[in-house]
Amino acid sequence: MIALHLSSKGFQINSETITFPVSIDTLKQCLNDDVKIFKRKFNTIFTWSDLGIMAYSKDGNVAESITISLCLDTHNFSPKQVFSGIFYYNNQDIVRYYKSHKQQHVKLFKGDDSGALVENGISACFSKEDDCICAIQINNYIPYERGAGLPEDKYIIKPLNEDILIFEDFGFKLSVIEELMYIKGLMEPVFDLFEFADWYKARDIDIDEEGYEPIAEVTQYFKDLPIPKRLASEITDFYQDGGNDIYMNLCPFSGGAVEYWDIETAIDAKQFPNLKKVTLCYATDAAYKEFEQLGIETEWL
């Protein structure tokens, strides 16, 4: 029986300590010589079919990772048997430990909703389908760095050395941002919710969980965002729709039928001398009448 252990001592196969990358010859000694080789375009896969184990190699000589199959798959390189040995994490069954210690799951990449167990520089990453664990991949642990590649100050709001517009109504401001940022490209950076969540370090913003309601940090960003007064003349009309980029970045899964961003007053329109027409779906009846009273062509979506 194959015995795998991941602990403070490292990763072991039948008491043999394995470090990555590991030579294929070492794996043959630890497992057996009955291995099938599948050469692919970018790597070579070594499959111990009867053991439910695979090793992935870039150069065909050393393996960067090992995968333990817990479910049968249909790929030609997949093992014909699932792993029937034992796999312990700190002397406990690794699957049971993983399921009962969610607070110890370590995210390995953006969007990783499975997480890994990490010990002594080695990670065990769990592949799941419908809450069933299908495979465990073992390799060197590479810490996930949130926001990697993004400028550290990308979404830090900087004061402007010029006059700015002052808004009484947040919903009105959002419609202006839609026009200036997303349609005309006159404001930078162009806000992207998923990029912002990756960049933001004060806490982990889970868009899949939180995207059904306004996300507080995103709402505050747009409330604080200054708009130069010189851009006021660029606004000639605006068109509200639930699919506007501004709303999709504020609350992507709202479904559109919400009142979070209703324009409650049209008083801010006085700052926009060229505003001639508005199409509304997020506004109160009172605001609608105010637009009309200001001589602005107004219609409901």
Side-chain angles (χ1 to χ4, degrees):
M1 176 184 290
I2 300 297
L4 309 178
H5 291 266
L6 178 57
S7 68
S8 59
K9 297 180 181 179
F11 177 59
Q12 296 176 319
I13 301 178
N14 293 338
S15 300
E16 179 75 21
T17 298
I18 302 297
T19 58
F20 293 98
V22 56
S23 74
I24 299 301
D25 288 339
T26 297
L27 291 179
K28 288 180 180 179
Q29 292 171 10
C30 292
L31 301 172
N32 59 47
D33 290 326
D34 187 14
V35 57
K36 295 180 180 179
I37 302 173
F38 300 87
K39 293 186 177 181
R40 298 164 65 83
K41 185 175 181 179
F42 298 108
N43 63 6
T44 301
I45 303 173
F46 295 83
T47 301
W48 285 265
S49 189
D50 293 337
L51 300 180
I53 297 175
M54 295 179 289
Y56 289 78
S57 171
K58 293 179 181 178
D59 65 4
N61 297 310
V62 297
E64 288 76 28
S65 66
I66 295 172
T67 295
I68 309 303
S69 296
L70 302 179
C71 297
L72 294 179
D73 208 336
T74 57
H75 297 297
N76 67 326
F77 55 80
S78 299
K80 304 305 180 187
Q81 302 289 333
V82 298
F83 179 70
S84 60
I86 60 173
F87 192 168
Y88 286 155
Y89 179 78
N90 287 327
N91 295 320
Q92 298 184 53
D93 178 82
I94 192 168
V95 173
R96 292 197 188 97
Y97 191 95
Y98 171 80
K99 290 181 177 179
S100 62
H101 292 76
K102 293 183 178 180
Q103 73 279 5
Q104 292 188 26
H105 294 182
V106 177
K107 182 180 290 190
L108 296 182
F109 52 87
K110 181 180 179 180
D112 181 9
D113 57 2
S114 296
L117 294 175
V118 177
E119 195 69 48
N120 196 26
I122 302 292
S123 66
C125 178
F126 293 75
S127 176
K128 298 191 298 183
E129 289 185 12
D130 299 326
D131 291 328
C132 177
I133 297 174
C134 297
I136 305 173
Q137 179 176 295
I138 305 99
N139 51 254
N140 283 335
Y141 170 55
I142 301 175
Y144 164 56
E145 183 182 353
R146 186 186 298 172
L150 293 174
E152 291 187 2
D153 63 346
K154 179 156 189 180
Y155 288 106
I156 292 177
I157 295 176
K158 305 175 184 67
L160 300 181
N161 295 320
E162 59 180 308
D163 292 338
I164 62 173
L165 295 165
I166 304 299
F167 290 88
E168 295 288 334
D169 190 281
F170 182 52
F172 193 104
K173 182 181 182 181
L174 292 177
S175 290
V176 170
I177 293 173
E178 170 72 16
E179 289 293 317
L180 295 178
M181 178 181 290
Y182 293 106
I183 295 179
K184 297 192 174 185
L186 297 175
M187 295 180 65
E188 291 184 344
V190 175
F191 185 92
D192 180 277
L193 173 60
F194 291 88
E195 185 179 73
F196 178 83
D198 193 32
W199 170 87
Y200 192 74
K201 292 183 172 58
R203 72 175 183 90
D204 188 3
I205 297 176
D206 188 338
I207 297 173
D208 289 337
E209 290 290 331
E210 302 177 47
Y212 296 90
E213 300 287 338
I215 297 171
E217 292 87 348
V218 177
T219 300
Q220 193 62 50
Y221 177 88
F222 285 113
K223 285 183 176 181
D224 295 340
L225 186 67
I227 301 177
K229 187 175 288 187
R230 59 181 166 80
L231 295 180
S233 61
E234 297 286 341
I235 301 297
T236 58
D237 64 273
F238 60 72
Y239 185 97
Q240 290 185 326
D241 182 275
N244 287 160
D245 286 318
I246 186 66
Y247 304 130
M248 295 302 292
N249 279 283
L250 278 160
C251 188
F253 310 134
S254 69
V258 295
E259 299 177 352
Y260 305 130
W261 312 294
D262 276 2
I263 296 176
E264 297 181 352
T265 175
I267 191 171
D268 290 321
K270 295 178 180 180
Q271 301 183 85
F272 299 89
N274 297 330
L275 180 59
K276 305 301 181 185
K277 180 180 179 180
V278 295
T279 301
L280 305 174
C281 69
Y282 296 120
T284 63
D285 291 336
Y288 186 100
K289 292 178 181 178
E290 286 183 36
F291 278 112
E292 288 187 317
Q293 291 168 358
L294 290 169
I296 297 170
E297 183 182 346
T298 308
E299 64 181 11
W300 290 113
L301 179 65

